[in-house]
Amino acid sequence: MVGPLDAPESLAIINDADYTEENNLVIGRTLFSEEHEVFRDSVRRFVERELVPHHEAWEAASKVDRSAWLKAGEAGLLCCDTAEEYGGPGGDFLYNTVVIEELARAGITGPGFVVHSDMVAPYIASFGTEEQKKTWLPRMVTGEVIGALAMTEPGAGSDLKAIRTSAKRDGDEYVISGQKVYISNGQNCDLIMLACKTDPAAGAKGVSLVLVEADRPGFRRGRNLKKIGLKAQDTSELFFDEVRVPVTNRLGEEGRGFPMLMTKLARERLTQAIRSVVVAEQAVSWTVEYTKERKAFGQTIGDFQNTRFKLAEIATQATAGRALVDRCIALFLEDKLDAVDAAMAKLYATDLHCKAVDECLQFFGGYGYMLEYPIARAYIDARIVRIAGGAAEIMKQIIGQRLFENR
Ligand SMILES: Cc1cc2nc3c(=O)[nH]c(=O)nc-3n(C[C@H](O)[C@H](O)[C@H](O)COP(=O)(O)OP(=O)(O)OC[C@H]3O[C@@H](n4cnc5c(N)ncnc54)[C@H](O)[C@@H]3O)c2cc1C
């Protein structure tokens, strides 16, 4: 039975309730090789040993200890697909997928490894100069340098081209002024990949990406924001007050930031979809385990047809989501995942994520409202997934636009 998590080691119970081939709840996955599965075992052990026992302390501190980043780097969990010549293991995206899945499976929502490995490092690897790659990637692989991606501002989130943070050219330097908000890894980060305007009059064509080191004069971290969930993750305001960086800190061409963001946002959305399907699967597993034991009116909660029908529906949708997301991972590996595929995967998986944790929580009754139960934690951590990384409505806009193209 999935019981209260009053001792940290009892989090391990979550993993015992996983979907397995034996209980046949997931259609066979064909993406992963034996090497990936060996890696999965080591990641799962690392998560149980090095992350799960600290989760509550990180929640209380509202951030993850830097030592966890260094340990994760040493264990090979960071930037798995970074090339060997830049200090990485040179794996494929499936290794990153394994890390995303195992963190989600254990309910570890504190460490911003995914932002770092799947949202910051890929920009540097794809668009960075040789010098930028050699300077940053090896230390991102070890966890010595923590990355953040700063796009959102108090006045502009979904409408990215409306950002106002500016980078004005002054000789061989940019002078950066502005403010960002809700930035994951904001308190811990050493390197910020900043979306800013190098030409404020040019709309989307005026957006550039600039790497800003967190020790530059004029850079300041604001509040570590209080959130309804993801309490172990640092999410911050960042302030830039005439921060000077050399123009060689720019990533790619000036004014080409928007198309660069558009190519990489598909990966960000895929990572969220991967996470969301795992949480939906876990919610069903926890609920089956719990309702097999809990009794009411002389039978178990799992004996009520309503329970079985509802869980059957969610399990079926999770399996459909798994098929969609695995197909998107396969497309990504072939460099064929487009913005619409990624938007569909994010839209479907995040809706399912929120629905699954809400409906499954119901079967736990009052216990489902208690934070020592994983379903309660999953519930409060879920709400953000339909907002961050592109709101559900933005996903629908991307999909709808394609539907009406050429008609
Ligand atoms: C915990 C957390 C972590 C985050 N991490 C990061 C990070 O690391 N880096 C970063 O840059 N940002 C980050 N964000 C910001 C996040 O990506 C934005 O909150 C999100 O993109 C929405 O932008 P917004 O908050 O400005 O909402 P708005 O753009 O003001 O939109 C509000 C709502 O309006 C509706 N809406 C907006 N546009 C449309 C439209 N075209 N059609 C129909 N409806 C629409 C949607 O319902 C939307 O949710 C994070 C946010 C949170 C809460």
Side-chain angles (χ1 to χ4, degrees), residues 20-38:
T20 59
E21 281 182 12
E22 298 85 69
N23 65 17
N24 256 339
L25 283 169
V26 157
I27 53 172
R29 300 183 77 184
T30 52
L31 283 172
F32 300 95
S33 68
E34 216 179 306
E35 286 78 40
H36 294 117
E37 293 306 341
V38 169

Side-chain angles (χ1 to χ4, degrees), residues 51 160 163 184-185 254 266 354:
L51 305 183
L160 205 52
I163 58 170
S184 307
N185 295 341
E254 192 169 277
C354 291

Side-chain angles (χ1 to χ4, degrees), residues 271-347:
T271 62
Q272 182 53 58
I274 293 169
R275 219 175 355 223
S276 286
V277 168
V278 171
V279 177
E281 291 170 350
Q282 286 294 85
V284 174
S285 283
W286 299 328
T287 311
V288 169
E289 291 305 305
Y290 178 81
T291 58
K292 268 189 206 165
E293 304 283 335
R294 174 77 179 176
K295 290 206 169 82
F297 301 97
Q299 58 182 6
T300 70
I301 305 287
D303 285 332
F304 292 115
Q305 190 186 52
N306 175 60
T307 309
R308 293 184 176 212
F309 277 18
K310 188 51 76 183
L311 289 174
E313 279 173 25
I314 301 169
T316 304
Q317 287 158 9
T319 303
R322 157 74 52 229
L324 170 63
V325 170
D326 275 5
R327 175 70 189 136
C328 286
I329 296 171
L331 287 171
F332 183 82
L333 288 166
E334 295 169 28
D335 206 17
K336 289 183 185 157
L337 181 76
D338 78 3
V340 175
D341 301 326
M344 284 184 173
K346 182 180 188 268
L347 178 66

Side-chain angles (χ1 to χ4, degrees), residues 17 37 56 128 132 176 199 218 226 289 374 401:
E37 293 306 341
E56 280 186 23
Q132 287 168 337
I176 299 169
D199 182 354
K226 298 277 171 222
E289 291 305 305
Q401 196 174 335

Side-chain angles (χ1 to χ4, degrees), residues 115 149-154 156-159 181-184 227 230 233 235 384 386-391 393-394 397:
V115 170
L149 170 60
M151 300 181 289
T152 309
E153 300 184 356
S158 306
D159 185 8
V181 72
Y182 316 135
I183 306 307
S184 307
K227 308 185 290 293
L230 304 182
Q233 186 195 95
T235 309
I384 185 55
R386 285 158 56 210
I387 299 170
E393 291 79 3
I394 300 300
Q397 193 179 313

Side-chain angles (χ1 to χ4, degrees), residues 167-188:
K168 285 191 188 138
R169 185 86 182 238
D170 181 20
D172 289 340
E173 292 182 323
Y174 285 118
V175 183
I176 299 169
S177 296
Q179 181 182 347
K180 297 288 173 180
V181 72
Y182 316 135
I183 306 307
S184 307
N185 295 341
Q187 294 290 314
N188 267 336

